[in-house]
Amino acid sequence: MASDEPTPSPDTRASRDYAGPEPASGARTRFRRWVRWLALAAGVILLLFAGCFGAVVLTLPAVDNLRSGWPQRTSYMERREQEAEGRGQPLAIDYRPVPLSRIPADVQRAVLVSEDAAFYGHGGFDWFELRAAIAEAWRDRESPRGASTITQQLARNLYLSPERSLFRKLREALIARRLERELSKQRILELYLNVIELGPGIFGVEAGSRRYFGISITGVSRLQAAKLAATIPSPLRNNPHTDTGRHRWRTRLVYQRAFGTS
C-alpha cells in the first residue's frame, strides 16, 4: 500500500544530512586546546634548555688562577698523550713558556694577522667573521669552520678538545667570556702564544722555534715568525718539518699580510 507521505527530493535528503556550519564555540575550543599544547611544549623545551645551560655553567672552570704563572698541563696536551699511548707510541711534551716581553713583536703580529686580526677590538667573539663563516657553511652545505678568536682557541686548548659539537661550542663560548672578563688582553695573548699546539708534542712558540729552527723565539726572523703562525691551523699535518704545499702557501699569505712584502 503506498504511503501518503511525499517522497523527499534529493535536495531535501541532503539538507537533513548536513548539520550546518560548526558552531564558532567549537572551533574556538579546538584552537585554545592547540595553543595550550604549544605553550606546554615550548615551556618544556625552555626548561630543558635552561637545565642544560645551568649544568654547563656549573661545570665551567675557574680562570682566575691564570692571572699569573703557567698552566702545568692543558687539555690538548693530555689528549695528545692519550692518543699516542693508544697507538703504543708515548709522546714527550715540549712546553717552554716564556713571558710576552720575550716574544718578538713580529711573532705577535704574524699570529694576530693569521688567527685574529680584530683581537684587541672584540670581547671574545668576532661577530663579522662568525657571520661570514656561517654564510660560507650554508652555501657549501657543511658545518661552520674557523671564525674562532684567539680567546676561543685559548679556551679550547686549555680546557676542551678538538671535537666539533654544539655542547663543546657552548662551553667554549662561555669560557671565552670568562677569560675576557678575568684577564687582560695582553695576558690572554701571552697564554695563547705559550700553549698553542705547533706540532706533534710541541706547544708554544718557544718550543716551536727551538724544535723547527734550533733557536730561541727571541731570535727568529720575520719569515720564521710567519712559518710558526702558518702552522697553527693544522699543526700535525702542515708545519715547517712537513713543509707541505699548504704550509708554504699559508706562510706566504701570513708574511704578506703581516709585513707587506713577499
Side-chain angles (χ1 to χ4, degrees):
M1 180 176 180
S3 173
D4 294 335
E5 293 184 6
T7 302
S9 66
D11 290 342
T12 305
R13 288 196 297 268
S15 64
R16 289 177 182 174
D17 295 336
Y18 176 59
E22 181 182 8
S25 59
R28 285 196 297 268
T29 298
R30 281 209 304 275
F31 176 75
R32 288 169 183 163
R33 188 179 299 120
W34 274 107
V35 169
R36 285 197 296 270
W37 275 110
L38 289 174
L40 179 61
V44 170
I45 292 172
L46 286 174
L47 284 175
L48 289 173
F49 178 80
C52 292
F53 185 81
V56 170
V57 171
L58 289 175
T59 59
L60 291 180
V63 301
D64 53 345
N65 61 321
L66 296 174
R67 291 173 184 158
S68 61
W70 305 107
Q72 293 299 309
R73 277 287 186 271
T74 69
S75 177
Y76 265 49
M77 293 177 192
E78 293 173 354
R79 184 181 183 89
R80 298 310 185 200
E81 287 176 326
Q82 293 169 1
E83 290 173 347
E85 289 176 5
R87 297 190 299 268
Q89 302 171 337
L91 180 69
I93 298 296
D94 193 352
Y95 169 52
R96 314 181 192 198
V98 295
L100 191 63
S101 59
R102 288 189 55 196
I103 301 176
D106 284 343
V107 175
Q108 298 180 41
R109 180 174 178 78
V111 170
L112 287 171
V113 164
S114 173
E115 296 302 307
D116 189 1
F119 173 67
Y120 287 105
H122 62 64
F125 303 94
D126 188 334
W127 295 110
F128 177 81
E129 289 294 333
L130 182 60
R131 286 196 299 270
I134 292 174
E136 182 178 353
W138 176 264
R139 185 183 66 243
D140 297 338
R141 301 291 194 272
E142 61 181 15
S143 300
R145 297 176 183 272
S148 291
T149 64
I150 278 177
T151 312
Q152 289 173 274
Q153 292 183 51
L154 177 61
R156 184 164 65 245
N157 277 262
L158 286 173
Y159 303 112
L160 304 172
S161 76
E163 294 177 355
R164 297 168 64 194
S165 70
L166 183 60
F167 181 73
R168 194 221 71 191
K169 290 298 290 184
L170 176 58
R171 284 178 59 81
E172 177 186 298
L174 293 173
I175 295 171
R177 289 298 302 148
R178 184 167 288 188
L179 288 169
E180 289 279 346
R181 188 170 59 249
E182 297 289 339
L183 307 177
S184 68
K185 284 288 190 179
Q186 291 295 91
R187 179 58 175 165
I188 290 172
L189 180 60
E190 182 176 55
L191 287 166
Y192 177 83
L193 291 171
N194 279 287
V195 304
I196 192 66
E197 186 177 29
L198 289 173
I202 306 170
F203 291 87
V205 294
E206 175 70 10
S209 179
R210 290 186 179 274
R211 183 73 67 89
Y212 294 129
F213 313 129
I215 59 175
S216 171
I217 192 64
T218 58
V220 299
S221 66
R222 283 184 168 181
L223 179 58
Q224 289 167 333
K227 286 184 177 182
L228 289 176
T231 301
I232 294 173
S234 54
L236 303 183
R237 294 190 302 272
N238 303 305
N239 59 58
H241 275 180
T242 60
D243 194 30
T244 61
R246 176 74 178 178
H247 187 261
R248 291 194 298 271
W249 170 82
R250 189 166 180 82
T251 296
R252 290 194 298 271
L253 181 64
V254 172
Y255 193 98
Q256 290 167 2
R257 288 181 175 177
F259 309 118
T261 56
S262 57

